[in-house]
Amino acid sequence: MAAVAALQLGLRVAGLRVAGLGRVSVGRREREGGAGRGVGTQSSARPSVSAGPGQRLLEECPWGLPAPSLSGSTGVFFGTGCSRSLFKGFCLHVSVVKLSPEVAWRPSRCGSSAAEASATKAEDDSFLRWVLLLIPVTAFGLGTWQVQRRKWKRNLIAELESRVLAEPVPLPADPMELKNLEYRPVKVRGCFDHSKELYMMPRTMVDPAREAREAGRISSSAETGAHVVTPFHCTDLGITILVNRGFVPRKKVNPETRQKGQIEGEVDLIGTVRLTETRKPFVPENSPERNHWHYRDLEAMARITGAEPIFIDADFKSTVPGGPIGGQTRVTLRNEHLQYIVTWYGLSAATSYLWFKKFVRGTPGA
């Protein structure tokens, strides 16, 4: 019986038993010489095969195993029954069972799944291609926008320079007219009221030569101080305005330390019109109680001094020995658009090359 068990195990491992569709039965015929119990001969040991209508039996192979064949929807189980079999004395009966059509034919999904996966991958690649193309296109658009911005900034700088270098005009009495005159020189005549000075601080003195030398440095050697803003009564207009007389170092903020520079009587003055400011981020609030002003709030300054909300920066020619240094108007504007243009166009060129290399040159047949 051990040989029978080994044969059955071999058939199962070889995949010859199909889940419940066939039946293999092995009968044992013991040859008992002269015992009178059913004498069998080697030549009579043949496989008994039962088959349904229309099924073709298999021919026996030279080694005693039927040649594998499956006709129609038929399941076949194979065994050995030839007289030369190693398992002499055993007969292997093979049953061929008719399979139902739905069981016999089950279409494979491997091909369809592979096709679906290939189609999905193609769709994903197409979507990724157009999304990544937005990077060089957007960078090119930003570079073009910076070209326009640079052109606008250069025109603005040229306009400011033309205003600053223009001939001074009489100061208009209407504050509304001053909105179109920022950075335009005007001339006034009158006297200062030094008792109501305001201090815009901290400030550094405008020095183009020094600023050019220290361009790019993290720290600066410039001395800090304040701008002295003094009410100025215009005798020809009958109004009081605010005049930024210029820069004084911190140790000279107190007017008692610069009595020599306190101008008395009527003077002719030329200054540049400046408009009110809004507080920028990280700039402290003004402190009228301490007389510390961090930005030009003309309405608040006018209330404190009783002047009109008109403000001018006195030019350098107004400077007197011991007094504030005039000409503290900054007319330079940052123009860094050229480096922005190089950055955006460079990014557009680099990402365009990578996109072309990935999706055009790397595509088969492209």
Side-chain angles (χ1 to χ4, degrees):
M1 296 302 291
V4 176
L7 178 59
Q8 291 179 338
L9 178 60
L11 293 175
R12 292 178 182 177
V13 173
L16 299 177
R17 177 180 288 273
V18 179
L21 298 181
R23 180 179 72 256
V24 176
S25 61
V26 179
R28 179 184 180 187
R29 292 186 178 182
E30 298 180 355
R31 286 182 294 172
E32 300 177 359
R37 295 169 52 188
V39 179
T41 63
Q42 294 180 358
S43 60
S44 63
R46 290 289 184 271
S48 175
V49 180
S50 59
Q55 294 176 335
R56 180 167 53 87
L57 298 181
L58 308 176
E59 295 181 357
E60 179 179 314
C61 72
W63 299 281
L65 291 176
S69 177
L70 186 62
S71 176
S73 56
T74 304
V76 182
F77 300 91
F78 311 106
T80 180
C82 89
S83 58
R84 295 185 299 273
S85 173
L86 296 177
F87 303 97
K88 293 181 178 180
F90 294 91
C91 286
L92 178 63
H93 300 276
V94 180
S95 297
V96 181
V97 181
K98 181 76 174 182
L99 303 180
S100 61
E102 59 272 12
V103 175
W105 172 249
R106 293 185 180 179
S108 173
R109 297 181 56 87
C110 296
S112 61
S113 298
E116 292 175 359
S118 178
T120 302
K121 184 177 183 302
E123 292 178 0
D124 292 343
D125 289 346
S126 178
F127 175 76
L128 182 63
R129 168 185 295 195
W130 298 116
V131 168
L132 292 180
L133 185 60
L134 290 176
I135 297 176
V137 170
T138 302
F140 183 84
L142 290 173
T144 304
W145 176 63
Q146 288 297 330
V147 171
Q148 301 299 323
R149 290 278 296 173
R150 183 171 181 263
K151 181 179 179 181
W152 167 80
K153 183 63 70 68
R154 294 183 67 177
N155 291 337
L156 180 60
I157 293 174
E159 181 183 355
L160 292 180
E161 290 177 349
S162 65
R163 286 191 177 191
V164 171
L165 299 176
E167 290 294 324
V169 298
L171 178 69
D174 186 4
M176 297 300 294
E177 297 182 22
L178 295 175
K179 292 184 177 180
N180 298 324
L181 295 177
E182 188 171 21
Y183 292 105
R184 183 68 186 269
V186 294
K187 54 185 179 181
V188 292
R189 181 175 178 82
C191 56
F192 289 103
D193 183 1
H194 300 292
S195 64
K196 296 181 180 179
E197 285 182 347
L198 304 178
Y199 307 111
M200 297 183 66
M201 57 192 309
R203 292 291 188 273
T204 57
M205 187 174 66
V206 175
D207 186 354
R210 175 186 55 80
E211 292 173 359
R213 290 194 306 269
E214 297 180 351
R217 295 183 184 179
I218 299 177
S219 60
S220 174
S221 60
E223 184 180 9
T224 61
H227 287 177
V228 179
V229 179
T230 308
F232 185 85
H233 181 72
C234 299
T235 55
D236 53 348
L237 297 176
I239 60 174
T240 301
I241 64 173
L242 298 171
V243 175
N244 176 14
R245 294 185 61 198
F247 172 83
V248 294
R250 185 177 294 273
K251 61 183 179 182
K252 294 288 187 178
V253 171
N254 189 343
E256 299 295 332
T257 61
R258 45 183 171 83
Q259 286 295 324
K260 186 179 178 180
Q262 302 296 76
I263 302 175
E264 301 292 342
E266 283 192 352
V267 294
D268 290 320
L269 191 65
I270 295 177
T272 303
V273 176
R274 304 302 306 275
L275 301 181
T276 190
E277 289 180 313
T278 57
R279 188 176 71 89
K280 298 179 181 179
F282 309 110
V283 174
E285 293 284 356
N286 289 330
S287 178
E289 298 80 10
R290 300 173 55 197
N291 198 10
H292 286 180
W293 301 82
H294 301 283
Y295 61 96
R296 288 190 307 274
D297 185 352
L298 298 189
E299 295 294 335
M301 290 178 169
R303 286 196 302 269
I304 294 293
T305 59
E308 297 292 330
I310 300 174
F311 190 101
I312 65 174
D313 288 335
D315 65 1
F316 183 76
K317 295 179 181 179
S318 67
T319 305
V320 296
I325 301 173
Q328 299 300 307
T329 304
R330 294 183 182 271
V331 294
T332 57
L333 297 177
R334 294 177 59 186
N335 185 12
E336 300 176 350
H337 296 287
L338 181 59
Q339 68 184 37
Y340 299 152
I341 292 171
V342 173
T343 300
W344 287 121
Y345 278 152
L347 179 62
S348 177
T351 52
S352 295
Y353 170 76
L354 294 176
W355 187 89
F356 179 83
K357 183 179 180 181
K358 169 69 177 177
F359 295 107
V360 178
R361 193 170 68 182
T363 302

